[in-house]
């Protein structure tokens, strides 16, 4: 089961301000309702715990949906929704004993805001599951604690679960539609990319062949053709063959000793040539981060160091970039690192005062 | 190159997803309001709550109409807007006109009216295809709030701004504007990432092809030069001249990924390699099916015999023995080939950087096509080179 975030790393960048807004609105709304209905709070301790549960849900949601982290798991998102539900349960319990109505509760509204916030991070089915998982106990609790007669209880339950059920349905619809659009695009893009790669491969193959012939045609091929035509080998020919072999071997050793990482980093420590085991998308995302940091003036010239070592069946990489400044760097990096997160599973970023360290691991070929 | 959803297309996709979200949000709200009114009406038949049913049905019908529009005409929107206003007036007046004030406040009628205004706000956002949806949301909220005020006229209900609906409307407008801004921000980064990705792809393709080219040059021209460098002066043996001619043809005519590479009988290549090395003086014992490479993709079926040949050449040149064993283990998911000798062996770390045979012609050739190479050797203990390639999946 896929989500918009799982398919498109940029979804997290687009959703981020909305999530921050939802968390802020949740906390603000809870504070407002508590302040205006203070007389209905029978147990301040339980209400404090309810607020604590909501704040925890907000903090976990904020951290889990960071562009600098991998997509939150189903368990993590269910935990966040569970905390929001717990906040509602504690809020309801805090009001038992005092005259109150469901219309004075903040718990269902904040639960609704939390549910809509995770729409980009889980599949539609999972969102529906979490919505029902939150609404059913919430509805049971409302039925048990609110209303004096069956009809008012039914109305209270319906009204109480309306915000989370409506936003849960909206979140699921959003996730399903976005996932469908992204899948359709990926299908098209994959076909187009396959054609483009074939074309590219053909162009590059021609260029590589030309370079090879340029290297060989200057001296080596004429020499070998001369030997073939004469049918005999002289002592100077043998010496010449040795010299040419030596030069050719040196050229090939030099060529074999460099790879894409040398073009990106100023210092490379990669004894086992592990950089070559990174795929095009992994290289692209790292190149984009480094290139954009350089272009924007964040990277200190000559400061980019890369170190790749083999650890079991993985390649462990560390890229260190010296910084000229850090103001606004996290925001600047967010979209680039979100992509790196998608291509380099488990990529980790550490932003210090003077340098930025990117750590990643990829499976060895 | 498929990493980043292009910003213009993302904007369209987000818009479409929001439309689905708004529709379902409004649908659930209207639906639950309907259920609440049914429960309310059954409990208090004297309050004529049934009058709200056509209003709620009308709201939902408007949401359905609006969601099915591709690009709604202004007059259609005007008609639907006026209809929504009329339904809201009817809905509010149902409660304001027939429900006693105490019941009105206690049973959640205020909440249901707010819910209708909120749902109309989302319906408005759904109808607005010309802006981010913000203008539509404002108009939808205005219709809901206006209908509420009109519906309250003549009743004893206090008339005030619907705070909950107002907060939601402001939140929706801000969120929609923020989405546009966020998508624009992501859109700025997208091309840079796509460009870096494309460059990386070109470099990767070039690297793979350069490795193949280097392996070809190593196995042909460098080999011939080494042969000439160590041959005694005089007439060249026919085997040597034939090999030089073949090598020159290969480096001149062979592309690095062209059709010529994949032409011919691929399955017989491993057999030909063994035959050539036997002719060169190496006694090769074969275990397993030499045609097992039929299970490989064409590029792997080309790379494997070439790598095996270089491994056998290395045995003949460097191991000090003229016996080698070739073991082929074919399974549906992978093909494993092992070249073993009981020669002098070596330590891989002691091999000079200028010794390219194992590195370029075996290891890089195989890793370039997604396989792996393991070398088991120690001085005096013989050598085993294990090449594993995934099957055609």
């Amino acid at each position: 089961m896929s989500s918009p975030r799982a398919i498109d790393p940029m979804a997290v960048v687009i959703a981020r301000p909305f999530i921050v807004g939802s968390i802020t609105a949740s906390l603000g709304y809870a504070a407002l309702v508590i302040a205006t209905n203070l007389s209905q709070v029978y147990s301040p301790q339980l209400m404090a715990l309810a607020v604590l549960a909501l704040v925890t849900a907000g903090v976990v949601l904020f951290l889990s949906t960071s562009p600098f982290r991998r997509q939150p798991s189903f368990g993590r998102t269910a935990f966040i929704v569970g905390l929001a539900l717990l906040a509602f349960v504690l809020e309801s319990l805090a009001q038992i004993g005092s005259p109150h109505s469901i219309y004075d509760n903040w718990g269902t509204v904040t639960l609704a805001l939390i549910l809509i916030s995770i729409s980009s991070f889980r599949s539609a089915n999972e969102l529906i599951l979490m919505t029902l998982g939150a609404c059913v106990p919430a509805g049971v609790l409302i039925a048990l604690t609110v209303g004096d007669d069956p009809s008012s209880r039914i109305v209270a339950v319906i009204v109480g679960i309306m915000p989370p059920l409506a936003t849960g349905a909206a979140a699921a619809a959003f996730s399903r539609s976005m996932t469908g659009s992204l899948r359709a695009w990926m299908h098209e893009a994959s076909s187009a990319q396959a054609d483009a790669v074939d074309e590219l491969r053909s162009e590059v193959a021609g260029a590589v062949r030309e370079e090879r012939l340029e290297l060989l045609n200057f001296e080596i091929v004429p020499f070998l053709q001369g030997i073939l035509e004469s049918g005999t080998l002289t002592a100077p020919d043998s010496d010449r063959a040795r010299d040419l072999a030596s030069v050719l071997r040196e050229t090939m050793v030099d060529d074999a000793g460099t790879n894409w990482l040398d073009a990106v980093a100023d210092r490379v420590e990669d004894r086992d040539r592990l950089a070559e085991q990174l795929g095009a998308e992994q290289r692209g995302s790292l190149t984009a981060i480094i290139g954009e940091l350089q272009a924007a003036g964040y990277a200190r010239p000559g400061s980019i160091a890369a170190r790749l070592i083999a650890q079991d069946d993985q390649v462990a990489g560390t890229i260190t970039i010296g910084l000229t400044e850090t103001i606004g760097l996290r925001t600047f990096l967010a979209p680039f690192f979100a992509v790196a997160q998608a291509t380099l599973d488990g990529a980790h970023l550490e932003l210090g005062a003077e340098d930025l360290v990117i750590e990643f691991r990829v499976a060895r070929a | 190159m498929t990493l980043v959803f292009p910003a213009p297309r993302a904007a369209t996709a987000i818009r479409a997803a929001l439309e689905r979200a708004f529709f379902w949000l409004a649908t659930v709200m209207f639906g639950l309001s309907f259920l609440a009114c049914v429960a309310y009406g059954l409990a208090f038949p004297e309050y004529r709550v049934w009058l709200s049913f056509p209003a709620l049905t009308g709201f939902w019908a408007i949401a359905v109409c609006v969601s099915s529009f591709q690009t709604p005409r202004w007059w259609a929107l005007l008609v639907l807007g006026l209809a929504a206003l009329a339904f809201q007036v009817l809905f509010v007046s149902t409660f304001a006109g027939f429900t006693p004030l105490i019941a009105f406040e206690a049973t959640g009628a205020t909440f249901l009216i707010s819910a209708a205004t909120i749902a109309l706000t989302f319906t408005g956002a759904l109808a607005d295809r010309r802006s981010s949806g913000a203008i539509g949301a404002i108009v939808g909220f205005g219709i809901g709030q206006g209908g509420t005020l009109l519906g309250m006229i003549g009743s004893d209900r206090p008339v005030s701004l619907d705070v909950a609906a107002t907060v939601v409307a402001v939140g929706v407008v801000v969120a929609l504007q923020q989405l546009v801004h966020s998508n624009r921000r992501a859109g700025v980064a997208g091309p840079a990432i796509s460009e870096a990705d494309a460059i990386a792809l070109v470099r990767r393709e070039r690297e793979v092809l350069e490795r193949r080219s280097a392996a070809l040059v190593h196995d042909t021209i460098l080999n011939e030069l080494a042969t000439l460098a160590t041959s005694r002066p005089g007439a060249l043996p026919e085997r040597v001249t034939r090999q030089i001619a073949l090598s020159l043809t290969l480096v001149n005519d062979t592309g690095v990924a062209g059709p010529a590479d994949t032409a011919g009988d691929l399955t017989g290549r491993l057999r030909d390699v063994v035959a050539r090395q036997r002719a060169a003086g190496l006694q090769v014992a074969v275990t397993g099916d030499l045609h097992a490479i039929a299970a490989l993709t064409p590029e792997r079926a080309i790379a494997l015999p070439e790598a095996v040949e270089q491994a056998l050449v290395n045995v003949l040149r460097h191991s000090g023995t003229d016996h080698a064993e070739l073991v082929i283990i074919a399974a549906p998911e992978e093909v494993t080939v092992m070249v073993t000798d009981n020669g002098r062996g070596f330590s891989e770390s002691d091999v000079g950087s200028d010794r390219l045979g194992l590195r370029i012609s075996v290891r890089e050739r195989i890793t370039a096509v997604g396989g792996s190479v393991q070398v088991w050797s120690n001085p005096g203990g013989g050598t085993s080179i294990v090449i594993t390639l995934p099957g055609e999946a």
Side-chain angles (χ1 to χ4, degrees):
Chain A
M1 283 188 282
S2 203
S3 69
R5 167 69 174 91
I7 302 173
D8 176 27
M10 286 298 178
V12 68
V13 179
I14 296 167
R16 187 67 172 166
F18 180 73
I19 293 164
V20 174
S22 290
I23 295 168
T24 311
S26 295
L27 296 173
Y29 183 71
L32 184 72
V33 173
I34 291 168
T36 52
N37 299 300
L38 214 51
S39 61
Q40 294 176 11
V41 179
Y42 188 75
S43 168
Q45 292 87 349
L46 283 175
M47 188 57 85
L49 284 175
V51 173
L52 183 66
L54 179 65
V55 170
T56 310
V59 170
V60 178
L61 175 62
F62 179 79
L63 295 176
S64 303
T65 54
S66 162
F68 298 95
R69 286 171 184 259
R70 65 176 70 176
Q71 168 171 262
S73 64
F74 175 75
R76 177 69 69 94
T77 40
F79 175 67
I80 294 165
V81 174
L83 280 172
L85 176 65
L86 178 67
F88 169 68
V89 171
L90 290 168
E91 184 209 7
S92 299
L93 295 177
Q95 291 175 321
I96 290 176
S98 67
H100 74 282
S101 87
I102 184 64
Y103 319 111
D104 301 327
N105 270 40
W106 50 262
T108 53
V109 175
T110 55
L111 182 58
L113 286 166
I114 297 287
L115 279 169
I116 199 81
S117 298
I118 57 172
S119 57
S120 292
F121 298 89
R122 301 310 318 166
S123 71
N125 290 349
E126 289 170 335
L127 288 164
I128 289 169
L129 194 67
M130 281 188 268
T131 302
L132 294 176
C135 287
V136 169
V140 170
L141 184 67
I142 293 167
L144 292 174
T145 58
V146 178
D148 304 321
D149 56 86
S151 66
S152 63
R153 278 199 181 122
I154 290 170
V155 174
V157 168
I158 291 170
V159 166
I161 64 167
M162 190 186 286
L165 198 60
T167 55
F174 181 86
S175 176
R176 188 179 298 277
S177 177
M178 272 310 287
T179 307
S181 298
L182 284 162
R183 283 210 176 114
W185 163 71
M186 283 196 84
H187 181 71
E188 287 172 33
S190 300
S191 308
Q193 188 189 17
D195 293 343
V197 168
D198 283 346
E199 196 178 326
L200 176 73
R201 189 172 286 143
S202 165
E203 284 172 19
V204 174
V208 170
R209 182 176 175 276
E210 287 305 311
E211 282 169 18
R212 182 177 73 209
L213 292 177
E214 197 178 328
L215 170 74
L216 299 175
N217 281 348
F218 180 63
E219 281 185 284
I220 297 170
V221 169
F223 168 72
L224 289 174
Q225 279 171 339
I227 297 282
L228 266 186
E229 282 164 17
S230 71
T232 54
L233 182 74
T234 63
D237 285 340
S238 250
D239 294 341
R240 181 87 179 116
R242 192 172 301 110
D243 291 344
L244 287 173
S246 175
V247 171
L248 181 59
R249 195 182 295 277
E250 273 175 34
T251 309
M252 289 174 72
V253 168
D254 286 347
D255 288 347
T258 58
N259 59 40
W260 67 276
L261 197 53
D262 295 295
V264 172
D266 302 304
R267 291 184 304 285
V268 176
E269 189 186 327
D270 181 16
R271 201 168 54 87
D272 298 324
R273 300 165 55 80
L274 299 165
E276 289 162 21
Q277 302 203 12
L278 270 69
E281 290 187 348
Q282 293 165 331
R283 298 173 187 198
S285 59
L286 286 173
T287 306
I289 290 180
I290 295 169
E292 289 303 307
L293 284 174
Q294 286 173 320
Y298 279 112
R300 209 168 50 238
S303 71
I304 299 163
R307 181 168 180 263
L308 270 69
I309 53 168
Q311 282 186 352
D312 302 325
D313 56 348
Q314 289 187 313
V315 176
T318 308
I319 293 177
T320 309
I321 303 159
L323 299 171
T324 54
E325 61 171 317
T326 55
I327 299 164
L329 184 57
R330 282 189 85 84
T331 309
F332 177 82
L333 269 178
F336 300 102
F337 197 75
V339 173
Q341 270 279 352
T343 59
L344 297 154
D345 191 31
H348 174 71
L349 181 139
E350 244 182 70
L351 181 58
E354 300 206 335
D355 52 25
L356 172 78
V357 180
I358 301 166
E359 291 175 332
F360 59 88
R361 281 172 180 272
V362 295
R364 289 183 72 176
Chain B
M1 284 169 82
T2 57
L3 284 172
V4 184
F5 201 24
R9 191 149 175 183
T12 311
I14 290 170
R15 176 67 212 176
L18 283 175
E19 284 170 15
R20 296 316 301 153
F22 292 159
F23 173 75
W24 279 105
L25 196 140
T27 295
V28 171
M29 291 188 85
F30 290 137
L32 289 179
S33 295
F34 194 95
L35 286 178
C37 288
V38 169
Y40 189 34
L42 289 172
F44 306 101
E46 68 276 20
Y47 296 158
R48 302 185 195 177
V49 178
W50 57 268
L51 281 171
S52 64
F53 296 168
L56 288 167
T57 310
F59 286 144
W60 187 70
I62 289 169
V64 171
C65 280
V66 163
S67 71
S68 62
F69 284 155
Q70 287 294 323
T71 44
R73 307 251 177 193
W74 67 268
W75 55 265
L77 289 175
L78 183 65
V79 169
L80 290 173
L82 289 172
L85 182 66
F87 288 135
Q88 178 73 341
V89 172
L90 174 64
F91 185 66
V92 174
S93 61
T94 301
F95 293 100
F98 302 104
T99 311
L101 184 59
I102 293 173
F104 182 82
E105 287 174 351
T107 53
T110 312
F111 185 95
L112 292 179
I113 292 169
S114 290
T117 305
I118 290 167
L120 283 172
T121 303
F122 284 106
T123 308
L126 173 61
D128 177 10
R129 311 287 165 88
R130 294 182 193 281
S131 76
S132 63
I135 294 171
I138 293 167
V139 172
F141 168 74
I143 289 171
Q145 186 65 65
T148 304
L149 296 176
L150 290 173
M152 294 283 193
I153 289 173
S155 74
D156 55 353
R157 309 294 184 269
V159 176
S160 63
L161 183 72
D162 187 334
V163 177
T166 307
V167 169
V168 171
V170 171
V172 169
V173 170
V174 170
L176 287 170
Q177 290 304 109
Q178 188 60 56
L179 268 178
V180 173
H181 176 71
S182 298
N183 190 43
R184 209 172 284 150
R185 192 173 136 228
V188 171
I193 292 166
S194 297
E195 189 185 338
D197 204 33
I199 291 168
L201 185 67
V202 172
R203 279 189 185 155
R204 169 96 178 124
E205 285 300 318
R206 176 173 271 276
E207 194 179 286
V208 168
L209 296 172
E210 279 176 347
R211 279 184 194 177
R212 282 192 203 167
S213 186
L216 177 69
V217 171
H218 176 271
D219 295 353
T220 55
I221 298 297
L222 199 56
N223 206 10
E224 307 321 330
L225 288 172
T227 303
L228 293 177
T230 54
S231 297
R232 286 182 183 165
L236 285 172
E238 193 192 335
R239 180 178 59 81
V240 175
T241 53
R242 202 171 54 235
Q243 191 58 42
I244 292 173
L246 178 64
S247 293
L248 285 172
T249 307
L250 280 171
V251 294
N252 272 310
D253 298 345
T254 310
V256 279
D261 276 342
T262 54
D265 174 22
L266 294 176
T267 57
R269 288 194 178 197
L270 209 49
R271 184 194 56 214
D272 297 343
V273 165
V274 172
R276 269 199 300 275
Q277 292 310 309
R278 281 176 177 159
L282 186 68
Q283 293 183 42
V284 186
V286 177
T287 307
D289 182 9
L290 284 170
H291 294 92
I293 58 173
L296 300 172
T297 58
E299 65 169 4
R300 287 174 183 155
I302 291 167
L304 181 64
E306 289 173 348
V308 168
E309 180 151 32
Q310 185 58 40
L312 292 171
V313 165
N314 283 348
V315 172
L316 195 57
R317 280 190 189 163
H318 307 297
S319 72
T321 177
D322 58 357
H323 284 75
E325 188 178 0
L326 181 66
V327 180
I328 301 122
I329 303 163
E333 65 278 8
E334 64 182 26
V335 173
T336 302
V337 174
M338 191 157 59
V339 178
T340 307
D341 68 70
N342 57 357
R344 63 172 67 101
F346 66 99
S347 170
E348 214 179 345
S349 57
D350 294 337
V351 174
S353 62
D354 61 333
R355 292 287 299 281
L356 300 165
L358 182 60
R359 182 166 148 195
I360 288 181
S361 293
V362 181
R363 194 183 292 282
E364 293 192 352
R365 183 176 255 146
I366 293 299
T367 55
V369 293
S372 64
V373 176
Q374 280 184 303
V375 179
W376 307 94
S377 184
N378 56 64
T383 301
S384 288
I385 294 175
V386 182
I387 300 170
T388 306
L389 281 164
E392 190 163 20

